[in-house]
Amino acid sequence: MDVYKITGENRLKGTIKVSGAKNSAVALIPASILANSPVTIGGIPEISDAWTLKALLEEIGGEVTFEDGKMTIDPTDMIALPLPNGNVKKLRASYYLMGAMLGRFKKAVIGLPGGCFLGPRPIDQHIKGFEALGARITNEHGAIYLRADELIGAKIYLDVASVGATINIMLAAVLAKGRTVIENAAKEPEIIDVATLLTNMGANIKGAGTSVIRIDGVEELHGTEHTIIPDRIEAATFMIMAAAVGEGITIDNVIPLHLEAIIAKLREMGVKIDIGEESIFVPKTDLNTLQAVDVKTLVYPGFPTDIQQPLAVLMSQVFGSSKVTDTIYTARFKHIDELRRMNANARVEGNTAIITGPSKLHGSTVTATDLRAGAALVLAGLLAEGETEIQEIYHIERGYSSLIEKLRDLGADIRRETNVARVAEAKE
């Protein structure tokens, strides 16, 4: 029922700090199930997905504390309780519980995961991997049942380089007997982060971040301490925001190597970017000097699908027609209709969006249809004349930690309000 209200056209200035990576956190937290003693993970973003996972680990008997971005998980007394409904339906990454619980208990019952609807995102590659390790998988009453007498290392070739499948197979394989080889593995930084945690817990993993990962199973894993990597998607969102409405913004706590594709594309548009060791500075950008570009989303290290939506807002401000082709998620263009409500000149043809600028954006009432579409609408609201109201903000808060506070510190006029009319409607 809560909404964001943004009064646009304020220029933003200062330093904004990037939180820990959402896509790492949602895998690192379930990975703790595999340990035989407490695991502490620092730098976890205070997002709803992290709180949901905390609740799920508590449901199966874990003792979990979470404060100031530090989560400590004691998995000692966990048991293989079925999780067919409830919290498990709230986030896509609940599927990591499958690999972790299968690895530790040799069985699991997990409800089919939820999260943002971006078109079909099947888990067939995950299941193929589990079956190769010796698990029997069935789908009963909308939940996935996983059972194994024992898990034995295998050679697994992924038909698509899926991040989720790569991590899930790693989680299941670290305690399996013998060697597992994952070929055509995804290479995202989050996979290296999960492999680093597992290695610190005593796992034997080689090749994370390359297309071939080798895992030699071990008898047991122990607790450890780990700090999560910075969120490259959040960093990229802030870089685009700095180009669109900044008077000079420093984005702090970044790994520039993880942002190469985005930096290259922004520079191609004409945005100036100064790269430090762990920070990026974007000086004031004259939007009149920027030019249209074409973007095609690809798996890492290509241009991330998560960033094409915020980038579309910047594209609406530059002269000429830009094209975005999304090869990852074909349904990831729901933000285009919302941007059109704000006077953007944009259309979708198949898996390509065509955005023609420059357009003066006007404040409007719009809906966040998914996490990154929501980020795009926040950016559009900051640019637009007048007031923008964004509904369904729970999507945004699944992935961006303390967003309002961070933006207000830069000078943005953004607040969270309860939509009284919608509360009344719901009561009726």
Side-chain angles (χ1 to χ4, degrees), residues 298-347:
L298 294 163
V299 295
Y300 187 85
F303 193 93
T305 173
D306 296 78
I307 285 304
Q308 60 94 342
Q309 291 152 295
L311 189 65
V313 179
L314 184 59
M315 288 171 161
S316 75
Q317 301 305 298
V318 307
F319 184 78
S321 286
S322 297
K323 275 188 196 169
V324 180
T325 303
D326 202 320
T327 66
I328 313 289
Y329 296 134
T330 50
R332 203 164 203 167
F333 289 118
K334 292 181 184 159
H335 60 297
I336 294 294
D337 280 345
E338 303 303 308
L339 291 176
R340 285 169 66 172
R341 289 177 203 270
M342 300 178 73
N343 196 43
N345 180 354
R347 67 184 193 277

Side-chain angles (χ1 to χ4, degrees), residues 45-56:
E46 304 247 352
I47 53 175
S48 57
D49 276 11
W51 289 104
T52 301
L53 282 166
K54 174 183 184 287
L56 282 163

Side-chain angles (χ1 to χ4, degrees), residues 162-184:
S162 154
V163 175
T166 301
I167 291 175
N168 232 342
I169 294 165
M170 277 168 50
L171 295 175
V174 285
L175 292 174
K177 287 182 179 166
R179 171 171 283 198
T180 299
V181 180
I182 308 170
E183 296 185 328
N184 194 31

Side-chain angles (χ1 to χ4, degrees), residues 49 88-93 113-118 121 395 398:
D49 276 11
V88 91
K89 302 275 190 190
K90 291 182 184 172
L91 74 159
R92 180 89 199 147
C116 295
F117 183 74
L118 302 173
R121 296 204 275 181
H395 283 300
R398 281 190 47 242

